[in-house]
Amino acid sequence: MTAAVSLTDVNKVYAAKAKNPIYAVRDFSIEIKAGEIIALLGSSGCGKTSTLRMIAGFEEVTKGAIRIGEKTIHTLPPARRGVAMAFEGYSLYPPLTLRENIAFALKSEKLGSAETNRRVEEIAKLLELTKHLDRYPSTVSAGQQQRASLGRALVRKADLYLLDEPMGQLEPQLRAILRGRLKRYLREHGLTAILVTHDQTEANALADRIAVMEGGFLQQFASPAELKAAPANLFVGTFIGEPPMNVYEVAPAIANGRVSFRAQGEELFGYEPGALSDTVMAQLAKQKSVVVGVRPADVVMKPLNGGSGATAEVVSNQWIGDQTHLESAFGDGVIVATLESRFPARTGEKLSIEVPPEKLHVFSTEGPALAHGSRLAEQGAT
Ligand SMILES: Nc1ncnc2c1ncn2[C@@H]1O[C@H](COP(=O)(O)OP(=O)(O)OP(=O)(O)O)[C@@H](O)[C@H]1O
Ligand SMILES: [Mg+2]
């Protein structure tokens, strides 16, 4: 049943003939493997729902092609695409109970009533809906409606499942439980799925690969680990990761193999000869100005007399239950650091800040990544 999916140069323009057309999705290309779970992640309005609706057939593709397996589907009517979708706005039928709503999705499969009921009950159990099955949409909570909508998509047999913010209305505990169950269900049945979310934790937990979108453009399509280790550009670097990456615009000054990253003449980070690879040093030598990025978990803080890094002054030190968040004045801005243990620093205390060379991210001021640690970024190589 399950199949690979490809989108090739897909574009969506709304109000194309109006004075100000809306370019919702631009030149979007992606190859999804059979059985893969991917997430579309991005801020509100970046084009996630438009992409799903084009795949499902509820919006026309302005330009480009969508295939499932060998079949070109973007010209077919929705019912013939083999795609099941759970909508952002639930869209349940008000005169039908949740049970009937979910069973309705099975109509075209022409199962007997016993098998229909068995499938509906199985999905209801998975989504903690058993007790509410015989109620009407208007008499249940938003979270219950949302789960029924998800159930209606999952109960069907389809080549591809499109889930638009399927758990946005749920409280964190239930969300975490259902996340686990949804993943197990998709995996056990070997289903291919595209999940839309703006929750990074959800994307990381569920998806094999994440497509990060912004302004209608695909920014990067990679595994959660790769997005963190090697963000393709400054947008992905600062968008992925909580708290966000610290970034500083600096001038790299190289002398005798040592590189000094300076802002307003003051060194923020310095690396001795050999700390960064020759290829990265050669790349830096070509740049007048770059943006360096440091993840909060990668900041190393030492007492002022024990370190050789630039000085930072502690502004706030908070223990948030399982992590320390330390914010310090640094350069002409701040640096945020996280630690897994408590850190005994008081407000006003001065610390030495260092970042291990392998943890340093360097971006061009236009955005594309130049290097991650000693690894030259793909774009940086050109
Ligand atoms: N039917 C429509 N007509 C005109 N513009 C639209 C239409 N639907 C969406 N848009 C616009 O297209 C862009 C992308 O919208 P889309 O719904 O795909 O975003 P999204 O990533 O799903 O956002 P959210 O996270 O808020 O759901 C937005 O600028 C939106 O205003
Ligand atoms: Mg949306």
Side-chain angles (χ1 to χ4, degrees):
M1 282 302 280
T2 195
V5 178
S6 76
L7 275 70
T8 312
D9 289 327
V10 169
N11 287 267
K12 179 70 203 177
V13 186
Y14 292 106
K17 298 205 170 73
K19 216 166 110 205
N20 297 308
I22 297 160
Y23 294 88
V25 179
R26 306 185 188 210
D27 300 333
F28 191 96
S29 296
I30 200 168
E31 304 266 338
I32 305 164
K33 299 182 196 122
E36 195 173 24
I37 305 171
I38 76 136
L40 292 185
L41 180 68
S43 50
S44 187
C46 73
K48 306 181 295 292
T49 297
S50 300
T51 304
L52 286 201
R53 290 179 64 84
M54 283 191 283
I55 301 172
F58 302 117
E59 284 296 343
E60 241 175 72
V61 171
T62 307
K63 209 177 104 213
I66 304 176
R67 285 182 200 85
I68 297 184
E70 298 299 303
K71 195 166 72 177
T72 296
I73 60 150
H74 67 275
T75 46
L76 298 176
R80 290 188 40 215
R81 294 190 181 196
V83 173
M85 178 159 174
F87 295 90
E88 197 174 8
Y90 332 140
S91 54
L92 298 169
Y93 302 109
L96 303 185
T97 61
L98 299 193
R99 180 191 303 279
E100 290 161 346
N101 262 285
I102 299 174
F104 193 82
L106 292 173
K107 264 224 152 74
S108 64
E109 291 183 35
K110 299 202 166 53
L111 308 165
S113 63
E115 177 60 7
T116 298
N117 238 324
R118 192 196 65 73
R119 294 258 293 272
V120 173
E121 302 267 346
E122 179 196 21
I123 289 294
K125 190 162 171 238
L126 181 92
L127 300 173
E128 296 287 334
L129 274 178
T130 310
K131 282 204 310 242
H132 313 296
L133 272 181
D134 295 312
R135 292 167 64 183
Y136 290 90
S138 62
T139 69
V140 300
S141 71
Q144 289 156 351
Q145 290 182 48
Q146 188 168 42
R147 279 179 276 152
S149 165
L150 175 57
R152 201 174 47 176
L154 292 180
V155 79
R156 286 183 53 191
K157 295 252 181 293
D159 295 325
L160 173 65
Y161 294 79
L162 305 175
L163 312 177
D164 197 349
E165 301 269 4
M167 292 177 286
Q169 285 291 337
L170 309 183
E171 83 268 11
Q173 283 87 345
L174 184 59
R175 202 168 165 146
I177 294 170
L178 291 194
R179 200 160 69 203
R181 287 193 197 167
L182 176 61
K183 184 157 186 176
R184 199 167 66 225
Y185 183 86
L186 294 172
R187 282 278 193 262
E188 268 173 13
H189 296 81
L191 306 179
T192 313
I194 306 179
L195 163 87
V196 160
T197 178
H198 31 218
D199 178 349
Q200 295 189 27
T201 312
E202 195 161 289
N204 284 328
L206 275 166
D208 298 303
R209 285 189 291 170
I210 299 173
V212 181
M213 289 182 79
E214 176 63 9
F217 286 104
L218 176 65
Q219 302 288 323
Q220 189 171 8
F221 182 40
S223 68
E226 180 72 359
L227 286 180
K228 266 208 138 165
N233 56 40
L234 195 53
F235 175 81
V236 177
T238 51
F239 187 73
I240 301 284
E242 247 308 298
M245 180 185 263
N246 299 287
V247 291
Y248 309 94
E249 188 165 341
V250 290
I254 299 175
N256 303 322
R258 183 181 191 280
V259 58
S260 170
F261 291 104
R262 296 180 188 167
Q264 281 87 46
E266 183 192 346
E267 178 172 300
L268 297 189
F269 306 100
Y271 294 94
E272 297 308 316
L276 297 175
S277 68
D278 292 348
T279 48
V280 169
M281 291 297 280
Q283 177 63 253
L284 289 174
K286 290 191 269 179
Q287 313 294 328
K288 237 166 105 180
S289 175
V290 296
V291 176
V292 294
V294 180
R295 297 209 180 275
D298 298 333
V299 177
V300 176
M301 285 163 303
K302 294 183 181 164
L304 211 49
N305 56 9
S308 56
T311 304
E313 185 175 320
V314 177
V315 176
S316 78
N317 184 352
Q318 301 175 57
W319 174 250
I320 58 160
D322 54 359
Q323 253 190 359
T324 293
H325 278 206
L326 195 76
E327 188 175 324
S328 310
F330 184 70
D332 62 358
V334 293
I335 191 159
V336 174
T338 55
L339 298 106
E340 296 308 311
S341 57
R342 287 176 192 267
F343 190 74
R346 291 173 193 280
T347 307
E349 193 170 329
K350 292 199 163 116
L351 298 164
S352 158
I353 299 284
E354 288 171 35
V355 174
E358 70 277 11
K359 302 290 191 191
L360 191 77
H361 301 274
V362 185
F363 303 92
S364 83
T365 48
E366 288 83 51
L370 296 173
H372 306 289
S374 269
R375 179 173 159 190
L376 210 58
E378 274 160 41
Q379 295 92 329
T382 59

